[in-house]
Amino acid sequence: MKKSISIYLSLLALPLFYTACTSNKTPTATAVADNTSVAVEAATAKTPTPKAKEASAKIQWLTIEQAAARMEKEPRKMVIDVYTDWCGWCKKMDKETFTDSEVAELVNKHYYAVKLNAEGKEPITLKGQTFNFKTEYKAHELAVALLQGQMSFPTTVYLDEKMNMLAPVPGYLDADNFSKILRYFGENHHQSMNFQEYETQAK
């Protein structure tokens, strides 16, 4: 039986670089799908970011519509990079984290990888529902829903094989910390333990 899961990354559990760009408007989020509400916290780390290992294989980025279509034939989890063009930390994650060889391998093995511009103007239709850019939010409805109204960039969002929410993880992540989260969801550790337990076991 599938359990309802509430995941908390405690302030001490993961030394994340919780550095992000934020939007001035914070709209109320609408649910993408019926799912468990997930609270994710991350700590500020002051250590320098290790240089990413150059990827021999690159992440195979898709649009969310392309990923949804592939899921119909081959179910797989989805990791969504929600970014904006003006966000410096998004560019840093593109340059240093997403080019890491281990990150690329884990993403391509376990996920469909999606890039979603939170301020994109094109309508997106998923499961018969169309999401549009909203001028009052200065953001796309789908980004608002995925980020649960917390408009912080970058945020990586994890969905299960049926496009139900697993967790939104806000802020810049270096390759090592991103890899831990990719394994946690990708290898289904989230089904039997919380992230702190996984971290303890993995050490």
Side-chain angles (χ1 to χ4, degrees):
M1 178 186 289
K2 189 172 179 180
K3 298 177 181 177
S4 292
I5 300 166
S6 181
I7 300 157
Y8 295 89
L9 303 186
S10 77
L11 290 171
L12 299 176
L14 182 64
L16 302 181
F17 289 83
Y18 187 39
T19 311
C21 309
T22 55
S23 175
N24 291 332
K25 298 242 180 189
T26 306
T28 303
T30 55
V32 173
D34 292 331
N35 52 55
T36 303
S37 209
V38 182
V40 179
E41 295 177 356
T44 302
K46 295 182 180 178
T47 53
T49 307
K51 190 173 181 180
K53 301 178 287 294
E54 189 176 338
S56 52
K58 294 183 179 180
I59 293 175
Q60 298 165 14
W61 294 107
L62 304 168
T63 66
I64 197 162
E65 296 100 328
Q66 289 171 333
R70 290 194 187 186
M71 286 176 83
E72 295 291 326
K73 296 179 181 178
E74 184 187 341
R76 194 186 286 190
K77 293 179 184 70
M78 195 182 294
V79 60
I80 305 170
D81 172 36
V82 185
Y83 71 97
T84 65
D85 291 334
W86 49 264
C87 171
W89 291 106
C90 300
K91 292 178 174 67
K92 185 176 175 68
M93 201 158 167
D94 277 338
K95 185 177 179 181
E96 297 181 0
T97 304
F98 296 142
T99 57
D100 181 85
S101 58
E102 184 180 13
V103 165
E105 286 169 18
L106 286 168
V107 170
N108 293 336
K109 180 178 180 181
H110 296 294
Y111 300 89
Y112 292 119
V114 171
K115 283 238 177 233
L116 179 67
N117 184 345
E119 296 176 347
K121 302 298 193 293
E122 294 297 317
I124 296 172
T125 301
L126 293 172
K127 295 185 176 182
Q129 182 177 355
T130 300
F131 299 86
N132 295 288
F133 179 82
K134 292 292 186 183
T135 53
E136 61 267 34
Y137 299 156
K138 296 183 180 177
H140 201 282
E141 280 180 316
L142 184 57
V144 173
L146 290 170
L147 272 54
Q148 301 176 350
Q150 303 302 308
M151 308 309 285
S152 175
F153 312 108
T155 291
T156 44
V157 178
Y158 297 83
L159 305 181
D160 71 11
E161 293 85 349
K162 294 183 179 178
M163 295 187 72
N164 296 318
M165 179 68 74
L166 291 173
V169 181
Y172 170 84
L173 291 165
D174 65 20
D176 288 342
N177 285 318
F178 190 46
S179 294
K180 289 177 189 176
I181 302 172
L182 288 170
R183 282 198 192 89
Y184 177 64
F185 290 119
E187 297 171 1
N188 293 320
H189 299 290
H190 65 284
Q191 294 180 356
S192 59
M193 66 185 82
N194 64 36
F195 191 83
Q196 267 188 300
E197 290 168 337
Y198 168 70
E199 275 253 290
T200 302
Q201 192 178 87
K203 286 179 183 178

